[in-house]
Amino acid sequence: MGRLLLALLFPILASAQASGPVPASAYKNFPNSAALTVWREAADEISLKLDLNKYPTIPVKCSAEGLIPAFPQQDTKLYHQAYWNQYDANLLKPTDYPCKINNLKMKGNACLRPDTANYLILSDIYEDSCGNLYRGFAEISYLKGDESMGTLVAPGKTIYKDPKSEFANMFIYGGTHKVPIKRFIKIGPVFKSDLPKVPRLKEQALKTHSYDAKTKLYKEL
């Protein structure tokens, strides 16, 4: 039924290694961003390290307003960059969101345990309305306390807990939806290793999903 283990979708952030550069956009989605300290690489999160400045960009040939996930599964999702940043408690008030998110009882004006900011760049396989394939790269920014089942899912895809499973960490792939071009920071060619996976995953998805050939969208049966 398109299930997968929680551990495969939400790997625990690795211990800090060397500090690494992140784009200015890594700050824009975080509250109280002036209180962030040093970005540190979560090396164990990265499945394929890639220099996006050197990776080619290609134009979308059909339906340039958006791309569609080639299938609902998460099998071809890759993390290319992963960083975390601990807030400076001295620069936050107890009422600031990075403090409130942990739902701790505060004493006086102290922020006892500020949350952690996380920044990722991931990619997955998408197609346009003519069936041309692409690798779409997207930024994912979230506070650890806001992490949910959908936080690390590739744009255009959904996932949720399996209500029929006796195991708490089993999930079901939901349907797909079109992703606006502006959601991606880069759109490039698929890897050669992607090509044989696409028809296999499309065929596999038809066992648990219906497919609309006109919209190229999947819906769970």
Side-chain angles (χ1 to χ4, degrees), residues 135-206:
R135 268 269 168 193
F137 297 79
E139 294 175 309
I140 307 293
S141 300
Y142 65 96
L143 295 185
K144 186 64 178 176
D146 285 330
E147 187 175 5
S148 67
M149 285 186 290
T151 305
L152 305 183
V153 173
K157 299 183 179 183
T158 56
I159 195 167
Y160 56 91
K161 283 187 177 182
D162 182 358
K164 299 180 181 179
S165 176
E166 59 183 294
F167 302 104
N169 60 348
M170 298 302 291
F171 293 79
I172 295 176
Y173 299 113
T176 59
H177 58 271
K178 182 178 286 189
V179 183
I181 293 294
K182 64 182 180 181
R183 178 67 179 85
F184 301 102
I185 60 172
K186 181 180 281 287
I187 296 173
V190 295
F191 305 133
K192 289 183 179 179
S193 59
D194 289 333
L195 294 175
K197 299 175 184 177
V198 175
R200 174 178 58 82
L201 289 168
K202 282 179 173 287
E203 182 180 1
Q204 184 184 77
L206 294 177

Side-chain angles (χ1 to χ4, degrees), residues 48-172:
L48 177 63
K49 205 159 191 176
L50 196 64
D51 185 348
L52 292 184
N53 292 320
K54 296 181 180 179
Y55 194 74
T57 298
I58 59 175
V60 175
K61 297 179 179 179
C62 298
S63 296
E65 71 274 10
L67 292 177
I68 307 139
F71 34 78
Q73 301 97 312
Q74 293 282 318
D75 299 51
T76 54
K77 178 186 67 179
L78 296 171
Y79 298 147
H80 303 287
Q81 294 183 26
Y83 296 92
W84 65 273
N85 193 319
Q86 183 66 55
Y87 278 92
D88 185 342
N90 296 316
L91 300 179
L92 293 170
K93 297 178 294 186
T95 54
D96 288 334
Y97 187 71
C99 292
K100 292 170 60 178
I101 196 170
N102 287 304
N103 198 28
L104 292 176
K105 292 182 179 180
M106 301 301 172
K107 295 181 179 180
N109 295 320
C111 176
L112 299 182
R113 192 182 68 187
D115 203 24
T116 303
N118 298 279
Y119 172 82
L120 303 166
I121 292 180
L122 60 78
S123 75
D124 209 336
I125 302 175
Y126 296 85
E127 59 184 343
D128 60 22
S129 60
C130 298
N132 299 300
L133 296 175
Y134 308 85
R135 268 269 168 193
F137 297 79
E139 294 175 309
I140 307 293
S141 300
Y142 65 96
L143 295 185
K144 186 64 178 176
D146 285 330
E147 187 175 5
S148 67
M149 285 186 290
T151 305
L152 305 183
V153 173
K157 299 183 179 183
T158 56
I159 195 167
Y160 56 91
K161 283 187 177 182
D162 182 358
K164 299 180 181 179
S165 176
E166 59 183 294
F167 302 104
N169 60 348
M170 298 302 291
F171 293 79
I172 295 176

